[in-house]
Amino acid sequence: MRVKVGELLLAIGFIGLMATLYLAFNWAPSVNINAFESPEAQRIFYWHVPAAWAAFIAFAVLFAGSALWMFKRSPLGWKLHVAGSEAGLACGLMAVWSGCVWGAAEWGTPWDWEDWRLNTFGLLTLLALFLVLGRQSQPDGVESRDTFSTFGLYGFVLVPLTYVATRIWVIRHPGPVIAGEEGSSISGDMALVLMIGALSFTILIVGHIITSMEITKFEQRLERLQKRLDGE
Amino acid sequence: MDDKTYLSIAYLGMIFAIAIWTWTIVSRSRTLEQRIIAMEESLNVDSIPIDSIAEVNDTGEE
């Protein structure tokens, strides 16, 4: 049986995520119990941060695809837009869900409405949800693609805003541990598990984007066949 | 509920969700491909993928 690149990457990414899960539970060192309300729940960090990282990759793909469609009318751009919004939704929900679990354990509340970073990231995920649901409920056409691409372009503003919010408006959510302020680094073993998680999520998201682009291509072929059957 | 139990449930939920998501897109891709190949063979058409929306837009047609 022919193995597709996208499916292979999805499988590798998934195995990597399982390995991350195992290492996070059984190998990564515990944090200082005085620094956290719920030290064990901190282990969700090895899933939460890579999921957010993968979501940003997906949102960058969404932005590039939206721009290619808007300015070049590129079929590849539309495929990237579709793949980026679906992958962004999946990874965004992973990051939000894991963040809520961690927040509930650490802060006693799953969400902080006053924290900029949480809210801008939540908005990004909602934007991806709107694009995915909107595309399914609207007939495919130039106008609908233009509308969704416009949202994809303007919505990307939230990405640098979220990045800046992690550094400037740190309220409850901790600041970045990599490339952050002085003294914000993590130990070697923790960084290794985090990197394995980030790499696994990146491979998974690339696999998803490739597979999703193939699905869009199939849908276009199906539409062409339908037109032929209809005698157009 | 202690920390480890709480974390295990959360992690298992996420792994389960991501497994379903991954399987859904793979099976969707395979099903579509099989159906299209069968249709193209029965209709005797080539399999060049065309984005009709982009094509219509390029030629300026409505």
Side-chain angles (χ1 to χ4, degrees), chain A residues 156-174:
Chain A
F156 192 73
V157 171
L158 289 165
V159 172
L161 196 63
T162 305
Y163 181 81
V164 169
T166 61
R167 283 154 171 78
I168 298 177
W169 300 298
V170 177
I171 302 174
R172 251 181 172 161
H173 194 291

Side-chain angles (χ1 to χ4, degrees), chain A residues 2 4 7 14 21 25 38 40 43 73 90 97 101 104 145 208 218-221 223-224 228, chain B residues 3-4 6-7 10-11 14-15 18 21 25 28 30 33 36 40 45-46 48 51-53 57:
Chain A
R2 191 166 57 98
K4 294 180 177 177
E7 291 177 13
F14 190 76
L21 173 70
F25 261 110
S38 180
E40 287 300 333
R43 290 175 191 273
R73 290 290 188 256
W97 164 247
V101 170
R145 287 189 185 188
H208 180 276
F218 292 148
E219 286 171 350
Q220 288 167 354
R221 278 168 66 181
E223 189 182 302
R224 180 168 155 252
R228 179 171 280 235
Chain B
D3 278 359
K4 278 261 184 187
Y6 186 76
L7 188 61
Y11 258 133
M14 287 184 289
I15 279 283
I18 223 162
W21 169 61
I25 59 164
R28 194 170 135 209
R30 287 184 175 176
E33 188 176 22
I36 287 169
E40 281 177 340
V45 293
D46 59 54
I48 303 164
D51 183 350
S52 57
I53 303 294
N57 190 68

Side-chain angles (χ1 to χ4, degrees), chain A residues 21-35:
Chain A
L21 173 70
Y22 176 80
L23 292 172
F25 261 110
N26 297 303
W27 189 72
S30 298
V31 289
N32 180 355
I33 55 167
N34 297 319

Side-chain angles (χ1 to χ4, degrees), chain A residues 76-95:
Chain A
L76 171 70
W78 182 246
K79 282 187 223 163
L80 286 173
H81 170 98
V82 173
S85 58
E86 287 182 358
L89 175 63
C91 290
L93 285 175
M94 281 296 155

Side-chain angles (χ1 to χ4, degrees), chain A residues 15-63:
Chain A
I15 292 166
L17 287 182
M18 299 293 279
T20 306
L21 173 70
Y22 176 80
L23 292 172
F25 261 110
N26 297 303
W27 189 72
S30 298
V31 289
N32 180 355
I33 55 167
N34 297 319
F36 288 86
E37 286 289 322
S38 180
E40 287 300 333
Q42 179 273 339
R43 290 175 191 273
I44 215 156
F45 155 85
Y46 301 109
W47 184 283
H48 178 69
V49 176
W53 159 254
F56 282 134
I57 293 175
F59 290 129
V61 170
L62 170 65
F63 177 77

